């Protein structure tokens, strides 16, 4: 198993050189109101190479034609013939942006320079002691009325009360001050301050009310008040509302300033808006003569974090340097979030090293972010090693770090250690919160420990920890995957009683769970249900459905029952289709759905719908399509599916179709261009792509193409932890891809022998359970590899100590390779010769079909 386990980190690293002493108090400041902390998730373009940084771009400028000055940051595939791929920067792995807006929420805000008086600090202390008693608060304000120095002192009080979450007292203080202030300008400053405080605390309705009152009374129609309200909407992730306020501001004759534009870009990041929208705001800012500052770039990086735009983020980071803007801890932590979310962990460690050279030391957020990235990329040993480094460096684990740590242990099934983390967390002063419970529920659920899941949820209620949307989606998913449909139904009904509203992530999780059970028809009904409720599916939703086609068992509602469910859902207004679908699943009223060409039509229908909704496919979509091709019953059906998909993206599906039709040099050139783009993805996404493409080619007898794809993947270090001169680990590969990989690996061994080098003493091929098997040892993958090795007369035999491992002494393998016919056995040929016909000889982009 050695080759499949990532190496642990060494004890000392370049980024640790300066941060052992006193690190816990270092760099906990903020920059112009930005907090340097961010707790948790949310894929990906190419990272900088280890030796050379990406070229520094020229400063962003607005072209005469009005094109976006940031467009150069969005990479797209080179056109395939005359066509252009639509995947662009979205050609990346699964991703949820649910947590992006919470990156810096809830952390204490450090104060900057202030002009308040000493008496204002005395007033603050007395006000704090009066918390909860409006009468005493009024008395303190009256007592200090003649002593406080105007709006500067009152603004200090508002800010500090906000830092202590005393929003009610802050409003009372504001009303007291503004009623006694006669100067409109000073009243406007007070209004801006309290709007900012309320926005930071998430009291957006109160902030809006203060703003409207200020405008109606003649002191709120200022750029500062508008900017404060925009910032308030931004902090709550309400991007559309922030933009509406911005538009209203311009209509009222006010000119936005740099603070306004920064707040608006920040709203894009926290509201999950795409980079194009932020880029348009950036262009408008430049057009109005404002130069970007650090806050501008930090906010743009946050937008990249939400969209998984790694290459764009690196270009922005380099552009900061070009403009002479120094990054701060927030900049680096946000850049690390983009890298970690996209699986670019080597680049993440390079960034940490660079931080030390700039004398910006990692803090608890830095570590939490990279730990999460390691966990997501399957580099769990490194994640646990980083936790040890945090403790060694004297950095106190925060709530986010603890939750990340227990989630790692839970995902590994190491529940005793996970529960020990919970105990340590509580001993440190952090109570279990909803994130803690969600991690435990998910971990125990994946291990099939349903009694423990129910016990934890009951304890969660006893401890009065309110369940959130993720809690219910996790529980419903766990029960669906376990076939516990009645429990899933009851959990969904409880979710509805709690008054929570389902979102796209909630629906996608349920649809994915149903698809993994092969319940494609049921999933399609829920897809229709979510769109009926005005919730637009995302690429993850569609990927789940596409990937489910052809899986076994392929079950769903019969046509009669499906029509009945649809009619019931429309007729009964107070019920939704989720309940109807779950009840039908619980009753066992399912039937086998017809397979074959109908399946191809369904896949094309789903793909066409994505195109209509302008939902860009990503590499997971491509892998799912290839997996669907592998499950087509005939070569002609697979060819037809890919040929039709060329109508939507001729470059990507043209390459797949061209390779399926047989190896040709012209096709391979375009394939290499596609592989260049895939290399920019995170390692797990890239390996899934290569696995799906290779498996499809092997399945339909195009074995030369399959072998070439494997060798190209090896050259590009796609399987860096699974392929060495002594061991080949096939654990996560499909059967066809694994067999092609064995041939390619043995060819590599062959080259070592013919170059006169000695082979390792023992060579191993690990099969384990295989990607799609849950039978220990004697699985489909193991049987396929055993037949392959036996058929070519190789000396590999099953190890007595591990029935999922094939071994052979190096000298014996070398002798076998030197036999005259062995190299010919290892070189594969396509079963089908390259065919050139009017339909397949050229890669021409066809017009899009009419919507169905």
């Amino acid at each position: 198993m050695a080759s499949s386990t990532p190496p642990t980190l060494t004890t000392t690293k370049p980024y640790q050189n300066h941060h052992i002493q006193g690190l816990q108090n270092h760099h906990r400041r903020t920059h112009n109101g930005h907090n340097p902390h961010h707790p948790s998730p949310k894929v990906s373009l190419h990272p900088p190479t280890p030796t050379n940084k990406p070229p520094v771009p020229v400063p962003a400028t607005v072209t005469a034609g009005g094109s976006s000055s940031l467009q150069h940051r969005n990479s797209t595939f080179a056109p395939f013939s005359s066509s252009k791929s639509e995947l662009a920067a979205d050609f990346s792995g699964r991703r949820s942006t649910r947590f992006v807006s919470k990156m810096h929420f809830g952390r204490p805000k450090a104060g900057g320079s202030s002009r308040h008086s000493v008496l204002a600090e005395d007033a603050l202390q007395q006000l704090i002691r009066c918390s909860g008693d409006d009468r005493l608060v009024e008395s303190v304000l009256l007592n200090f009325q003649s002593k406080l120095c105007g709006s500067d002192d009152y603004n200090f009080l508002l800010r500090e009360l906000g830092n202590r979450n005393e929003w009610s007292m802050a409003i009372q203080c504001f009303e007291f001050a503004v009623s006694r202030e006669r100067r409109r300008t000073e009243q406007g400053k007070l209004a801006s301050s309290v709007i900012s405080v309320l926005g930071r605390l998430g009291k957006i309705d109160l902030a809006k009310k203060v703003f409207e009152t200020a405008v109606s009374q003649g002191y709120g129609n200022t750029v500062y008040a508008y900017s404060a309200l925009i910032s308030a909407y931004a902090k709550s992730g309400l991007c559309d509302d922030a933009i509406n306020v911005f538009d209203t501001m311009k209509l009222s004759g006010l000119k936005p300033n740099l603070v306004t534009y920064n707040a608006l870009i920040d709203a894009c990041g926290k509201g999950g808006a795409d980079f194009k929208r932020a880029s348009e705001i950036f262009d408008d800012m430049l057009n109005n003569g404002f130069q970007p500052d650090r806050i501008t770039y930090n906010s743009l990086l946050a937008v990249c974090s939400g969209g998984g735009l790694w290459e764009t983020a690196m270009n922005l980071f380099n552009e900061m340097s070009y403009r002479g803007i120094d990054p701060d801890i927030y900049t680096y932590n946000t850049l690390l979030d983009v890298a970690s979310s996209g699986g670019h962990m080597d680049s993440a460690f390079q960034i940490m090293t660079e931080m030390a050279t700039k004398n910006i030391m990692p803090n608890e957020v830095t570590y939490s972010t990279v730990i999460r990235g390691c966990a997501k990329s399957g580099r769990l040993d490194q994640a646990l090693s980083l936790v040890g480094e945090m403790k060694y460096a004297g950095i106190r684990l925060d709530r986010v770090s603890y939750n990340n740590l227990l989630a790692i242990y839970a995902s590994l099934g190491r529940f005793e250690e996970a529960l020990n983390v919970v105990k340590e967390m509580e001993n440190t002063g952090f109570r279990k919160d909803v994130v803690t419970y969600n991690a435990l529920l998910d971990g125990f659920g994946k291990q099939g420990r349903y009694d423990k899941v129910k016990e934890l949820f009951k304890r969660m209620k006893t401890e009065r920890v309110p369940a959130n949307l993720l809690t219910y989606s996790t529980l419903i998913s766990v029960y669906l995957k376990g076939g516990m449909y009645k429990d899933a139904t009851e959990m969904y009904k409880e979710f509805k009683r709690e008054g929570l509203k389902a979102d796209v992530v909630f629906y996608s999780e349920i649809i994915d769970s149903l698809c993994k059970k092969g319940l494609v028809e049921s999933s399609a009904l829920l897809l229709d249900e979510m769109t009926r409720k005005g919730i637009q599916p995302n690429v993850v939703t569609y990927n789940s459905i596409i990937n489910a086609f052809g899986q076994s068992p392929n079950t769903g509602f019969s046509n009669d029952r499906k029509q009945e469910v649809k009619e019931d859902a429309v007729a009964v207004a107070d019920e939704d289709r989720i309940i109807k679908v779950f009840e039908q699943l619980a009753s066992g009223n399912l039937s086998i759905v017809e397979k074959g060409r109908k399946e191809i039509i369904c896949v094309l229908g789903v793909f066409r719908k994505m195109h209509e909704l302008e939902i860009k496919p990503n590499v997971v979509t491509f892998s799912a399509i290839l997996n669907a091709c592998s499950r087509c019953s005939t070569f002609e059906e697979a060819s037809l599916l890919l040929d039709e998909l060329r109508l939507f993206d001729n470059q990507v599906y043209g390459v797949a179709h061209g390779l399926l039709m047989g190896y040709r040099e012209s096709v391979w050139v375009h394939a290499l261009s596609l592989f260049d783009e895939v290399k920019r993805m995170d390692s797990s996404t890239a390996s899934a792509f290569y696995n799906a493409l290779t498996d499809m080619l092997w399945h339909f007898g195009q074995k030369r193409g399959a072998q070439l794809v494997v060798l190209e993947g090896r050259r590009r270090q796609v399987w860096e932890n699974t392929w060495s001169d002594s061991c080949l680990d096939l654990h996560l590969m499909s059967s066809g891809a694994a067999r092609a990989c064995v041939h390619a690996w043995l060819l590599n061994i062959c080259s070592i022998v013919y170059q006169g080098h000695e082979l390792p003493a023992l060579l191993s091929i690990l099969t384990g359970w295989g990607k799609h098997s849950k039978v220990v040892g004697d699985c489909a993958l193991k049987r396929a590899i055993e037949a392959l090795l036996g058929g070519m007369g190789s000396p590999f035999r099953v190890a007595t100590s591990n029935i999922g491992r094939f071994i052979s002494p190096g000298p014996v393998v070398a002798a076998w390779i030197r036999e005259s016919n062995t190299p010919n056995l290892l070189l594969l040929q396509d079963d089908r010769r390259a065919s050139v016909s009017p339909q397949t000889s050229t890669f021409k982009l066809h017009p899009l079909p009419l919507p169905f």
Side-chain angles (χ1 to χ4, degrees), residues 5-6 32 35 50 60 135 150 176 211 443 455 475-476 528-529 574 577 629 641 687 777 793 827:
T5 305
N32 290 358
N35 199 295
R135 185 180 57 81
F176 178 89
F211 173 79
E455 176 191 327
L475 288 167
I476 293 170
D528 187 47
E529 166 76 0
D574 59 347
R577 292 182 188 174
C629 288
L641 176 57
S687 61
L827 283 171

Side-chain angles (χ1 to χ4, degrees), residues 669-775:
V669 170
H670 295 301
L672 293 177
S673 175
L674 177 60
F675 296 155
D676 287 339
E677 296 300 324
V678 174
K679 177 59 180 173
R680 300 179 180 184
M681 311 305 151
D682 61 276
S683 57
S684 60
T685 304
S687 61
F689 159 79
Y690 276 92
N691 179 82
L693 180 57
T694 308
D695 195 62
M696 180 201 70
L697 294 174
W698 184 279
H699 181 75
F700 289 110
Q702 305 304 68
K703 296 179 180 179
R704 183 187 181 193
Q707 190 174 46
L708 286 172
V709 170
V710 169
L711 289 171
E712 190 61 32
R714 165 61 176 168
R715 188 179 72 83
R716 296 169 184 266
Q717 299 180 327
V718 173
W719 297 292
E720 55 185 346
N721 293 321
T722 62
W723 177 317
S724 70
D725 290 345
S726 63
C727 183
L728 178 65
D729 190 343
L730 305 173
H731 274 85
L732 298 179
M733 289 191 181
S734 301
S735 176
R739 282 177 282 180
C741 206
V742 167
H743 272 271
W745 182 69
L746 289 174
L747 269 181
N748 182 67
I749 298 298
C750 190
S751 67
I752 294 174
V753 171
Y754 280 100
Q755 288 172 11
H757 302 298
E758 289 188 8
L759 295 179
L762 186 69
L763 274 66
S764 302
I765 299 174
L766 307 176
T767 60
W769 298 2
K771 184 173 183 180
H772 301 298
S773 174
K774 295 184 179 178
V775 181

Side-chain angles (χ1 to χ4, degrees), residues 381-564:
D381 288 339
Q382 286 182 311
L384 296 176
S385 177
L386 283 170
V387 173
E389 287 183 18
M390 281 185 76
K391 294 180 177 180
Y392 179 73
I395 300 177
R396 181 174 177 264
L397 272 68
D398 61 1
R399 182 186 297 277
V400 177
S401 302
Y402 277 118
N403 283 334
N404 280 336
L405 181 57
L406 75 88
I408 292 170
Y409 283 131
S411 67
L412 291 170
R414 293 161 61 174
F415 296 111
E416 183 177 349
E417 290 161 289
L419 295 175
N420 286 336
V421 171
V422 174
K423 290 179 183 177
E424 180 183 330
M425 176 179 172
E426 292 183 313
N427 291 336
T428 310
F430 296 110
R431 294 184 60 188
K432 295 189 292 291
D433 62 4
V434 66
V435 180
T436 312
Y437 274 107
N438 287 348
L440 292 172
L441 290 169
D442 184 60
F444 279 106
K446 285 178 178 175
Q447 297 295 322
R449 298 181 60 176
Y450 304 115
D451 291 341
K452 189 67 177 178
V453 168
K454 292 181 178 180
E455 176 191 327
L456 279 168
F457 189 55
K458 185 177 180 180
R459 189 187 306 168
M460 187 177 180
K461 292 181 176 179
T462 303
E463 295 181 2
R464 299 184 182 278
V465 177
N468 63 11
L469 199 60
L470 183 58
T471 311
Y472 285 106
S473 65
T474 299
L475 288 167
I476 293 170
S477 176
V478 164
Y479 291 142
L480 287 177
K481 290 174 182 176
M484 303 168 67
Y485 302 124
K486 289 183 179 178
D487 293 283
T489 305
E490 290 305 312
M491 197 53 55
Y492 180 71
K493 288 179 178 178
E494 180 178 327
F495 161 79
K496 296 287 284 185
R497 287 195 298 271
E498 291 296 320
L500 297 172
K501 293 187 180 296
D503 63 1
V504 62
V505 181
F506 181 88
Y507 270 104
S508 297
E509 181 72 18
I510 295 176
I511 287 173
D512 186 62
S513 301
L514 292 172
C515 286
K516 282 183 169 62
K517 297 287 289 184
L519 305 171
V520 184
E521 294 285 348
S522 304
S523 302
L525 287 177
L526 296 193
L527 182 65
D528 187 47
E529 166 76 0
M530 68 186 292
T531 53
R532 186 171 65 88
K533 289 188 173 183
I535 303 172
Q536 180 171 311
N538 59 21
V539 67
V540 176
T541 321
Y542 283 109
N543 286 347
S544 298
I545 294 177
I546 293 173
N547 200 47
F549 282 107
Q551 288 186 353
S552 180
N554 193 4
T555 54
F557 295 112
S558 64
N559 289 333
D560 292 340
R561 285 302 308 153
K562 182 168 65 173
Q563 184 61 31
E564 182 181 332

Side-chain angles (χ1 to χ4, degrees), residues 114-129 140-141 143-161 164 173:
S114 178
R115 293 175 291 182
H116 67 273
S117 66
V118 175
L119 287 171
E121 297 183 12
D122 294 339
L124 175 65
Q125 297 306 315
Q126 292 194 33
L127 286 171
I128 293 170
R129 288 194 287 268
V140 171
L141 291 173
N143 183 45
F144 278 89
Q145 179 181 353
S146 61
K147 305 173 186 178
L148 297 178
C149 300
S151 61
D152 286 341
D153 279 351
Y154 282 111
N155 284 330
F156 165 78
L157 291 176
L158 293 174
R159 183 175 64 249
E160 291 302 316
L161 289 172
R164 291 162 175 80
C173 181

Side-chain angles (χ1 to χ4, degrees), residues 8-61:
T8 56
L9 299 179
T10 54
T11 333
T12 307
K13 299 176 180 58
Y15 58 78
Q16 293 177 311
N17 291 342
H18 310 288
H19 79 300
I20 300 302
Q21 299 295 329
L23 182 57
Q24 61 268 35
N25 296 318
H26 194 67
H27 281 287
R28 299 182 187 273
R29 65 182 186 274
T30 59
H31 177 80
N32 290 358
H34 275 293
N35 199 295
H37 307 272
H38 60 83
S40 64
K42 300 312 111 228
V43 188
S44 52
L45 299 169
H46 66 75
T49 58
T51 54
N52 297 309
K53 290 186 178 180
V56 177
V58 295
T61 55

